[in-house]
Amino acid sequence: MGGHCACADSRARVYKGGYQQHYCDPTAAPACAANSSLTYCLEDAEYPAYEIKAAISQDHLFAKKYADIGTQSADDLVDGLSAEQESAFDYGYYTGSSKGDSPYDVTHWAGPAGYICPSDVAYAQPRRAQNVAGEWRVIVNDVHYYTQTARLETCLHPDAACRALAPCYKSKCTQKYIYHRMLSYDPCDPYKGLFIDIYRLPAACSCHVPAL
C-alpha cells in the first residue's frame, strides 16, 4: 500500500534452498528525489502512510518521542520581520551576476525589500530525507494530524556577492545548515518501528565578508 522500499538499486540475494530475499539499498535515492540534487522531499507520491499509521499505533512510547510546533512563520522565528513581509520578498529581478564576466549589474544595487542574500524560505514538512549517514528515511508527517515542521532557507545564488555591498568587500552569500532531529521510519527495515534520526537541512543564507 505504497510502503514498498523506493530504491533505485534493488536487487535479489539467493540463499540455500532457492529462497530469494529482495535487498533494499537505504542509500539509493527514492523516486521523489529523482532528477534533484536535494537531500529531502517535500512531496512524495509513494509516501507509506498506511505503514506509518500502523507504526504509530504499535508504538507505546510515541507520545514521548513526538513534539512539533506546526504553525511556524517569521512572526515567531525572525526578529523584526512579520510573516507577511517575508512572504512578499521577490527576487525575480535579481541576477546574481556578480559571479559573471560583467559583475555588479544594476540588480545588485537596486531592488525591493528582501534579505541581503536572496533566498527561498519554506516552513516545510519533509516527507523523506537523507540522514547524516547518507541513508534515506521516511519522516513522520501529516499522518493522524501529526506533523514535523522545519524552516528551510536555501540560497538562490550561492557564492554571489551580497546585495548592495561594494566589490571591495569581496563578499559572498554562504549557505548554512542545521541538524534536525526528526521522528523517522526506515522503509528498508520496517521492523525498527519509529525512531529519532538526524538530518542536515538548509537553515540560512548568510553574507560572508572575509578579512580585509
Side-chain angles (χ1 to χ4, degrees), residues 11-23:
R11 52 190 183 271
R13 290 177 175 171
V14 180
Y15 295 89
K16 291 181 179 180
Y19 172 71
Q20 281 192 341
Q21 180 179 357
H22 286 283
Y23 171 62

Side-chain angles (χ1 to χ4, degrees), residues 5-119:
C5 181
C7 298
D9 186 32
S10 293
R11 52 190 183 271
R13 290 177 175 171
V14 180
Y15 295 89
K16 291 181 179 180
Y19 172 71
Q20 281 192 341
Q21 180 179 357
H22 286 283
Y23 171 62
C24 179
D25 182 1
T27 64
C32 64
N35 304 315
S36 172
S37 60
L38 297 177
T39 58
Y40 58 90
C41 297
L42 300 184
E43 301 293 336
D44 183 6
E46 298 181 345
Y47 188 82
Y50 178 86
E51 286 81 355
I52 298 297
K53 290 178 181 178
I56 291 174
S57 65
Q58 295 167 9
D59 190 338
H60 301 298
L61 296 177
F62 178 80
K64 294 183 178 181
K65 298 177 184 178
Y66 172 79
D68 186 44
I69 298 176
T71 54
Q72 299 182 22
S73 72
D75 291 337
D76 311 301
L77 299 177
V78 183
D79 284 346
L81 198 66
S82 70
E84 183 179 6
Q85 288 174 306
E86 186 180 57
S87 63
F89 289 168
D90 181 3
Y91 304 106
Y93 71 95
Y94 182 69
T95 65
S97 63
S98 62
K99 296 187 296 182
D101 296 330
S102 300
Y104 302 98
D105 66 7
V106 67
T107 70
H108 177 79
W109 302 106
Y115 291 123
I116 193 171
C117 283
S119 61

Side-chain angles (χ1 to χ4, degrees), residues 173-189:
C173 293
T174 302
Q175 180 67 58
K176 290 184 176 181
Y177 298 85
I178 193 170
Y179 290 121
H180 277 275
R181 301 173 73 250
M182 307 187 91
L183 194 56
S184 308
Y185 174 86
D186 185 353
C188 286
D189 190 358

